[in-house]
Amino acid sequence: MTKKRFYITTPIYYPSGNAHIGHAYCTTICDIFARYKRERHFEVYFLTGTDEHGLKIEKNAKAAGKSPKEYVDEIVAKFKTLWDVMQISNDDFIRTTDERHIHVVQSVFSDFIKNDDVYLGQYEGWYCTPCESFWTDTQVGEEHLCPDCGRPVQKEMEDCYFFKTKKYLPELQTFFEKEGSIYPVSRKHEMENNFIKPGLEDLCVSRTSFSWGVPILENEKHVAYVWLDALFNYLSALGYRSSNETLYKKFWEDEESEIIHVIGADITRFHTIYWPEFLSALKLRLPDKVFVHGLLMMKDGKMSKSKGNVVSPFPLIEKYGVDALRYYFAREIIFGQDGQFTPEQFIERINMDLANNYGNLVSRTLSMIIKYFDGIIPEYKEGINDNDKIIEDLAKETKVSFENKMDDLHITEAYIDVMNLLNVANKYIEDNAPWALAKDETKIENLKSVMAHLAYVISISTAMLKPILVTKADKVFDYLSLNETERDYNNVFDTKVLANKKVSKGEVLFPRLNNDDVEFVKSLMTNK
Ligand code: MSP
């Protein structure tokens, strides 16, 4: 059952280095989903932000000769610029160094102490600083490598508070049993087999060996473990435990709101095990869905600065535009699976889908309407010609399947359907040869019908592509002379909207790219 409202979150990013296309991937997909829901007139609250505490940041800042706050401020500013450039439509940007957030972490930690959810102990084990994760002897193996990122871990021994993970096991199990709570289910099984079935160990939730974190009020020697700190951003951003809890009540407490966390596969454990446990300890509602996406890999594995295989999104956007990069993310990497970034596939995807399929259809159709009908779109009439039926049926089917797939966050599959409709429309031009119809006066009605059907496909495809094509979609609607109301998602599927509109030719939407472009993208991948 679809709810009225949506609370959609990205993970909050570590400002420990500049953002790369992997970060942009995650945020863009959430943005596409948020924009789609808004287009459908749902109320949406879309959150992103930065996770600024922890040993990694403290160390990096020291190496850069800066205070941790100075260090993160600079990088956070760059993240914000990137989201502006990518036209990310977040409603808020939370920083874990915000007072509003620190207050929440301190206050919930006090409750954990009061309610006996945590106890003081001593941690002895392995710590992966880049992942800010604790591991046991068995998990790190003889080589002492982090099971998540493969980098060496350090032996740590320090006083800390432990969270009683077994206390909330029944709530956790209910969460796991609820259909759709963790998607894809393979991730759910992974968590069950690797962590729950072997028996959950209590989690160390404070640190005493460094100071860059949220101080625990009851025991100032301790700062909150960065993952506990970070997860609460989803509540602090809504004003939870503040003087104004309106957003919290509306988007978290109210069952009419659907809470969706979109995360990368590497952080599944924190979102599907510890986060539901922390929330259960506070007797709060759990998220409806944790959607786990795959990682964007390079030929030589995961993107990492040390390997020099990190690609910055900025030069790609500057050269190919924000729409192209956003489309590439949505379509090329199947949402939910890992994907590989290669310059060849990046260029090929833009050429094939945006330049050839969509761009070409728009340009051919508008030119023909101008040539044959002085730019006036003929009226769309259903069931006149048998050969128009394929478009009529497919247009209807595509709307339904697109919406069903988008609602289930099957974003890639949804856009495959839109591309299929455009493909069929291109073929429909070839099959109907309007240039031949135009030479035969008795075929004028057929020609009108073909043009009306093509304009309709362009218009509805543009509406479906709009959450991705944040700059070009409105241009196409301008070429079709649709006003704000007419281009609204709820109106644009009405077959009467386009009748008698005067089209204009406009610019080439997506110029065809070539081998020089492949070389350009390759040049971005070395020693960066
Ligand atoms: N700070 C934590 C998240 C805390 S959320 C309460 C963190 N930050 S991160 O900057 O390392 O990663 C943020 C998100 O970016 C994660 O979902 C991660 O999976 C995603 N990605 C980082 N590299 C990525 C790729 N190469 N590909 C796709 N997503 C990637 O984890």
Side-chain angles (χ1 to χ4, degrees), residues 11-14 20 22-23 51 227 230 234 264 266-267 293 295-296:
I12 49 171
Y13 298 84
Y14 286 129
H20 55 66
H23 300 125
D51 176 4
W227 266 102
Y234 301 131
D266 51 339
I267 58 175
H293 66 72
L295 298 183
L296 194 51

Side-chain angles (χ1 to χ4, degrees), residues 44 59 62 122 208 347 370:
V44 170
K59 280 186 172 168
K62 202 166 171 198
Q122 202 177 43
T208 43
I347 297 299
I370 291 168

Side-chain angles (χ1 to χ4, degrees), residues 369-385:
I369 295 173
I370 291 168
K371 186 166 171 196
Y372 304 136
F373 299 108
D374 278 340
I376 306 295
I377 305 176
E379 207 181 320
Y380 182 106
K381 290 183 196 148
E382 243 179 52
I384 302 280
N385 300 307

Side-chain angles (χ1 to χ4, degrees), residues 10-16 20-27 50-52 56 79 130-131 226-227 229-234 262-267 270-271 293-297 302-303:
T10 73
I12 49 171
Y13 298 84
Y14 286 129
S16 57
H20 55 66
I21 52 171
H23 300 125
Y25 170 67
C26 189
T27 318
T50 39
D51 176 4
E52 306 181 10
K56 180 164 55 176
F79 266 92
C131 291
V226 66
W227 266 102
D229 169 358
L231 286 160
F232 278 96
N233 89 87
Y234 301 131
V262 179
I263 60 161
D266 51 339
I267 58 175
F270 299 100
H271 283 82
H293 66 72
L295 298 183
L296 194 51
M297 314 288 276
K302 202 181 162 184
M303 271 180 226

